[in-house]
Amino acid sequence: MQSLHWEQRPDGLRAPALVCAFTGWNDAGDSASAALQFVGSSLQATRFATIDPEEFFDFQATRPKVRILDGRTREISWPETEFYAARVPRAPRDLILLQGPEPSMRWRAYCQQIVDLAEAIGVQLVVTLGSLLADVPHSAPVSITGLASDDALIDRLDLRGASYEGPTGITAVLHDACAAAGIPSASLWASVPHYVAAAPNPKAALALTRKLEGLVGVSVDASELEEASADYERQVSLAVQSDPEVQAFVERLEQAAQEEAQEVDPTVPSGDVLAREFQRFLRQRGPDAQ
């Protein structure tokens, strides 16, 4: 069964790079998906292809959504993977953007669909965006780690190489498929404070956007994201200051970041415990607090 559906073919793209972000496990604080959507909106990207979800999603885990149109008609929206084309006249390359939820099953077949599209339109670089929960303070500059099939990219972008081993997400499988097809690839990951995981994190989205610009040579006006980032940091700081235990924990994280320590002081209470307490604190303050 062919799951890749072309709505139109984006002919004439210049040295395109494919930039991917998946919601779910790979998207702490909605940072990766927000960065991709911001870039797409800024460049007025247009949709040209989708991957049918039927073969790749457990709809009990990733449910379709229903909405009302014109006050009467019910429409079902399925969790599709969507491809968008963005032409960037003053940049060295155009962009293809992929957004969608992480699939539930048949990851290798799913990634082959993406590789097939990349080969069909001459993609020269695949970049995945991700964000993960970490022991980092919200007030510090966002740490970006990265991997690339070309080690020179890591050196050129001043990335901190990732050393994680363990369970992984769809991004790692996609990079493996790109390597098998001979397509260069890179992965950018933003660290998101675990104690405010439930809130969208525009600060991490901004950091991913800026790092992506340096990697693909495409610039966007990020003033809107910069304002959202400053507002996020201000609101989280106010909430932290209202809880002495959380404030003490964040101050220790800030000190550790300043000293470039590799691990948080073991006397600090469990991150999981504090995360639960902080989310309870935000719920008690009501939706305006977030």
Side-chain angles (χ1 to χ4, degrees), residues 14-180:
R14 299 169 300 112
L18 170 60
V19 185
C20 313
F22 301 92
T23 58
W25 189 87
N26 312 271
D27 194 28
D30 300 337
S31 304
S33 57
L36 187 86
Q37 291 169 8
F38 181 81
V39 171
S41 177
S42 299
L43 299 177
Q44 298 181 330
T46 57
R47 194 174 85 163
F48 69 91
T50 62
I51 294 179
D52 191 306
E54 190 71 23
E55 293 186 77
F56 305 111
F57 287 88
D58 176 356
F59 295 132
Q60 289 184 324
T62 307
R63 291 184 177 272
K65 297 179 180 179
V66 65
R67 61 178 181 174
I68 305 297
L69 301 178
D70 303 324
R72 300 175 59 184
T73 308
R74 291 167 59 88
E75 179 183 77
I76 294 180
S77 175
W78 298 92
E80 289 182 323
T81 300
E82 300 175 297
F83 295 88
Y84 292 79
R87 301 180 186 276
V88 196
R90 292 181 296 277
R93 67 173 78 241
D94 293 321
L95 298 183
I96 300 297
L97 307 178
L98 179 162
Q99 68 175 21
E102 182 179 60
S104 308
M105 60 193 75
R106 303 187 69 231
W107 282 11
R108 287 179 293 183
Y110 177 86
C111 289
Q112 188 59 50
Q113 299 286 312
I114 299 173
V115 168
D116 288 346
L117 179 142
E119 291 180 328
I121 59 180
V123 164
Q124 297 188 5
L125 174 68
V126 174
V127 183
T128 61
L129 306 179
S131 48
L132 49 85
L133 300 179
D135 288 328
V136 294
H138 68 278
S139 54
V142 176
S143 174
I144 302 290
T145 58
L147 296 173
S149 56
D150 180 359
D151 291 338
L153 282 175
I154 294 181
D155 295 334
R156 179 166 63 85
L157 295 173
D158 191 28
L159 292 172
R160 295 174 53 195
S163 58
Y164 171 77
E165 294 180 323
T168 191
I170 190 65
T171 56
V173 180
L174 177 57
H175 282 283
D176 187 64
C178 290

Side-chain angles (χ1 to χ4, degrees), residues 138-139 195 232-251 254 278 281-282 285 289:
H138 68 278
S139 54
Y195 57 85
Y232 161 85
E233 185 170 339
R234 181 170 55 252
Q235 291 188 21
V236 174
S237 294
L238 289 173
V240 166
Q241 292 168 11
S242 301
D243 187 305
E245 185 180 13
V246 174
Q247 184 176 14
F249 174 67
V250 173
E251 288 174 352
E254 291 172 337
F278 191 62
F281 171 71
L282 289 179
R285 288 172 59 88

Side-chain angles (χ1 to χ4, degrees), residues 195-210:
Y195 57 85
V196 64
N201 192 321
K203 185 176 180 179
L206 175 62
L208 283 171
T209 300
R210 291 308 190 199

